[in-house]
Amino acid sequence: MRKVVAYETRADEFPLFQKFARKFDLDIKYVDDVLTPQTAVEAKGAEAVTILGNYPVGAETFMALRDASVKYIGLRTAGYNHIDQEAAKAYGIRFSNVAYSPYCVADFATMLILMCVRKAKQILSRVEAQDFSVEGIQGREMHNLTIGIIGAGRIGSIVAKNLSGFGCNIIAHDTVERDELRGILKYVSLDELLKESDVITIHTPLFDRTYHMINQDRIAKMKDGVCIINCSRGAVVDTDALIAGIEAGKVGAAGIDVLEDEEGIFHYDRRTDILAHHQLAILRSFPNVIVTPHTAFYTDQAVSDMVEMALTSLVSFMETGKSRWEIKS
């Protein structure tokens, strides 16, 4: 029976780990903490570990894993920007990510679009205060809007299909154009998308070329009152530029599920803590901004997919020395 160490195991994941451990004949050790140079010792005697994406994995951690004889990491996330790929290569540790149900994020993004264009945060806040007036909460109708999708891949394409039922005009920008979407949306340049969209929803991975893709210059090209939705990665948006755009009235609303420097805050109970994240405090204070704590992925199907695929990948690594989901530098 092969041994795997699972770090950051959530309560909702535990029965899934048990289920797939039986399927793959695995001995799984559970560690509540994140993977660090100090907690890597917990993996001694295991060939593989699986982690989430809540903490950076750098050279010291990879060195500690190597010293514990770990060869493989199976991420239970699609994103891998928290992994120092050069350090992984230097210490001979290979890793993979997962591709979970795209419907979870696509549906969540669609929800945020609807909530923003109908001013749901303001309405709900008023109801809590027993203010049932309607002045200032007039919304817009979807069929009158142009929705721009940056990144019409696995997730963005489903967002487009979701939105097609509302009768809105859908445009998209992507490096790869899918023939299956041509009857649903129109592909345009990024500049045209920025100029024409009433709502912009972002579904692109975080790479060097997409870091701060939405910045001061690009916000300036957008329509006045534009709504920006980000369910991809926090650093795709320059948060300071977004705040400046909201304060200037250029950005009329935003739905933010991911945020720069969210690590250590999102997915944790910080109710009694003083948070030194000024951007988060500012964004939460705006009546036209919805902030959710990186929960777009969080559905029963997606969580099951993440656990199953991470373990499938590790079994493949251990049995064959390769995995179809391996991330290669």
Side-chain angles (χ1 to χ4, degrees):
M1 184 177 287
R2 294 183 181 274
K3 183 177 179 181
V4 170
V5 178
Y7 287 86
E8 309 171 72
T9 312
R10 298 190 310 262
D12 58 277
E13 293 179 306
F14 188 68
L16 297 166
F17 272 113
Q18 292 180 310
K19 171 185 174 182
F20 294 117
R22 290 190 296 269
K23 176 181 177 180
F24 297 124
D25 193 27
L26 295 173
D27 174 16
I28 300 181
K29 176 182 178 179
Y30 303 98
V31 179
D32 292 337
D33 294 330
V34 297
L35 176 61
T36 66
Q38 293 71 40
T39 61
V41 69
E42 298 281 355
K44 192 170 181 61
E47 195 176 355
V49 303
T50 176
I51 64 173
L52 289 172
N54 295 327
Y55 200 79
V57 182
E60 290 185 10
T61 301
F62 281 115
M63 181 171 65
L65 288 174
R66 181 204 60 187
D67 293 344
S69 300
V70 171
K71 297 179 180 179
Y72 309 111
I73 299 177
L75 302 179
R76 304 196 300 280
T77 57
Y80 51 89
N81 54 290
H82 59 300
I83 300 292
D84 185 334
Q85 294 186 62
E86 292 301 318
K89 186 175 181 180
Y91 288 100
I93 296 175
R94 296 158 65 187
F95 71 97
S96 60
N97 68 341
V98 295
Y100 48 84
S101 166
Y103 291 91
C104 55
V105 177
D107 291 352
F108 200 90
T110 305
M111 177 190 73
L112 286 180
I113 292 170
L114 289 165
M115 291 181 73
C116 285
V117 300
R118 292 307 303 266
K119 301 187 178 180
K121 180 180 178 179
Q122 296 97 311
I123 293 170
L124 294 172
S125 296
R126 287 191 186 189
V127 171
E128 285 295 311
Q130 295 189 178
D131 177 356
F132 305 111
S133 63
V134 297
E135 291 79 12
I137 55 173
Q138 185 180 80
R140 304 177 70 184
E141 296 186 11
M142 294 285 284
H143 68 96
N144 292 326
L145 304 180
T146 293
I147 314 291
I149 301 172
I150 299 178
R154 291 181 68 249
I155 294 172
S157 62
I158 295 174
V159 172
K161 293 171 184 176
N162 286 349
L163 294 174
S164 66
F166 291 95
C168 46
N169 179 39
I170 307 171
I171 58 178
H173 174 73
D174 205 330
T175 54
V176 177
E177 298 184 1
R178 297 187 174 202
D179 290 337
E180 69 195 72
L181 297 178
R182 293 194 184 277
I184 297 174
L185 57 77
K186 175 185 176 184
Y187 284 102
V188 297
S189 68
L190 181 57
D191 278 350
E192 185 175 348
L193 184 145
L194 299 175
K195 179 182 176 182
E196 299 297 330
S197 299
D198 298 292
V199 176
I200 295 173
T201 182
I202 307 163
H203 301 286
T204 180
L206 177 61
F207 300 122
D208 288 344
R209 68 177 182 272
T210 60
Y211 176 78
H212 283 185
M213 169 186 281
I214 303 301
N215 52 36
Q216 182 178 3
D217 291 341
R218 285 183 168 145
I219 290 174
K221 295 177 180 179
M222 297 177 187
K223 281 186 176 182
D224 291 343
V226 66
C227 171
I228 297 175
I229 306 294
N230 187 11
C231 290
S232 58
R233 285 292 180 268
V236 171
V237 175
D238 181 339
T239 311
D240 287 333
L242 175 64
I243 290 171
I246 295 166
E247 290 177 336
K250 180 70 175 181
V251 177
I256 304 298
D257 186 57
V258 288
L259 187 63
E260 292 183 279
D261 302 318
E262 66 180 50
E263 296 81 7
I265 299 177
F266 286 0
H267 298 179
Y268 295 92
D269 184 349
R270 303 294 302 274
R271 279 177 289 185
T272 62
D273 300 335
I274 302 298
L275 300 182
H277 196 308
H278 296 174
Q279 295 168 324
L280 175 58
I282 294 169
L283 289 169
R284 289 176 59 211
S285 74
F286 292 137
N288 56 343
V289 175
I290 298 169
V291 178
T292 54
H294 204 145
T295 51
F297 78 96
Y298 196 47
T299 65
D300 52 356
Q301 182 66 58
V303 172
S304 179
D305 290 345
M306 286 185 274
V307 173
E308 181 178 18
M309 191 174 293
L311 294 180
T312 300
S313 182
L314 291 181
V315 169
S316 180
F317 269 136
M318 292 185 288
E319 292 184 349
T320 70
K322 57 186 178 181
S323 167
R324 60 179 291 194
W325 299 290
E326 180 177 4
I327 302 299
K328 298 180 180 180
S329 300

